[in-house]
Amino acid sequence: MREPRALAAGLLLAWAGGAAAAEALQAPRLGRPVDAQEVARWDLSVFPDGRGLPAGRGNAAEGAILFRQHCAACHGAGGRGASAEELAGGTEPLTSPTPDKTIGLYWPYATTVFDFVRRAKPMTAPGTLSADEVYALTAYLLYANGLLGETDEMDARTLPRLRMPNRDGFTGIDATLPPR
């Protein structure tokens, strides 16, 4: 009677060990080591108060050209009416049953627009725009939402000063920001 139990226990252990080994072989091999230089290249955080904004400048007139080249195919002329999310022209406030989440109605900080554009655009080559191009595109998006004049210049000094209509629409967190 002992031998069948011992045999069953042995088979169970062998099966469990084989399953664990097979699982280890099937685990995805994600990630790779990175060096400090590569980490620095991706350390792009921009804070609401403007910390992290690079040197550079741009206005909406310059950004309109870039928008047509890189963004209009998905977001439509003026940021409206194409297959991707509408960026401008919203009319329904966040308190509406069908709120618009355009930049002008939803986004609390203009610096967040810059941060997103710099990291994610253009869609086919994220992170390839120069700081001047990102400032210009950000200025254009703010202009398209009626928040900025066409020739108003955006840079690290002026962008954080722009008060977005939904600035107070979000609840802040108590996280400590990095020192300036």
Side-chain angles (χ1 to χ4, degrees), residues 54-75:
R57 53 144 310 277
N59 65 39
E62 298 159 342
I65 296 165
L66 294 165
F67 188 86
R68 282 192 297 273
Q69 292 171 345
H70 299 292
C71 314
C74 295
H75 291 285

Side-chain angles (χ1 to χ4, degrees), residues 115-128:
D115 189 55
F116 181 78
V117 170
R118 181 165 68 166
R119 291 173 189 274
K121 302 298 175 180
M123 187 177 81
T124 55
T128 59

Side-chain angles (χ1 to χ4, degrees), residues 64-128:
I65 296 165
L66 294 165
F67 188 86
R68 282 192 297 273
Q69 292 171 345
H70 299 292
C71 314
C74 295
H75 291 285
R80 294 179 238 174
S83 60
E85 193 76 24
E86 295 220 340
L87 302 174
T91 57
E92 293 293 321
L94 296 179
T95 54
S96 162
T98 56
D100 290 321
K101 291 186 177 177
T102 59
I103 290 171
L105 290 176
Y106 186 76
W107 293 52
Y109 301 102
T111 54
T112 307
V113 178
F114 181 96
D115 189 55
F116 181 78
V117 170
R118 181 165 68 166
R119 291 173 189 274
K121 302 298 175 180
M123 187 177 81
T124 55
T128 59

Side-chain angles (χ1 to χ4, degrees), residues 48 76-77 82 91 98 121 126 132 152 154 161 163 175:
T91 57
T98 56
K121 302 298 175 180
D132 286 347
D152 292 344
M154 289 284 98
R161 292 183 183 165
R163 184 165 178 83

Side-chain angles (χ1 to χ4, degrees), residues 32-45 118-119 126-129:
R32 62 180 174 78
V34 295
D35 59 28
Q37 194 174 24
E38 185 171 354
V39 170
R41 210 172 39 246
W42 285 101
D43 186 14
L44 303 172
S45 297
R118 181 165 68 166
R119 291 173 189 274
T128 59
L129 298 172

